[in-house]
Amino acid sequence: LLEVADILEKATQSVPKEEIRDDNPHLKTLYQALLMTEAQIQKVFTKHGLLRLDPLGAKFDPYEHEALFHTPVEGKEPGTVALVNKVGYKLHGRTLRPALVGVVKEA
């Protein structure tokens, strides 16, 4: 089900916000249905002890994150998460799937 949650998230992120208008009711309704479905699946996950890890801006933790790359980012502290490619999940406090992230390195 984690992959289903990922697909729902990608689907909602892919819709341009300026296209969600009252004069485009089909897209607006579809977008709202995707958001409700995504919220419901996260609610069920939480009910069963599955928590979403979205570590953007957090300190890199090798127990919760998997670094895909390191990049210099001006104004950000080295060792922090600069980009989240895929969110992670914890089940009852244990990492089920690490978040796939890009980490800030020194310039």
Side-chain angles (χ1 to χ4, degrees), residues 10-65:
K10 292 289 184 204
T12 56
Q13 289 174 350
S14 70
V15 178
K17 302 301 180 226
E18 63 273 3
E19 293 295 321
I20 305 167
R21 302 182 309 265
D22 288 332
D23 66 336
N24 196 350
H26 299 296
L27 179 63
K28 185 176 180 181
T29 302
L30 178 62
Y31 179 74
Q32 289 171 339
L34 285 171
L35 287 178
M36 288 188 293
T37 305
E38 188 178 7
Q40 186 63 35
I41 199 167
Q42 291 299 327
K43 184 178 173 182
V44 170
F45 285 173
T46 302
K47 178 182 173 185
H48 293 283
L50 188 63
L51 299 177
R52 189 173 187 267
L53 297 174
D54 190 359
L56 186 63
K59 197 78 173 155
F60 177 77
D61 180 350
Y63 296 105
E64 293 183 356
H65 314 138

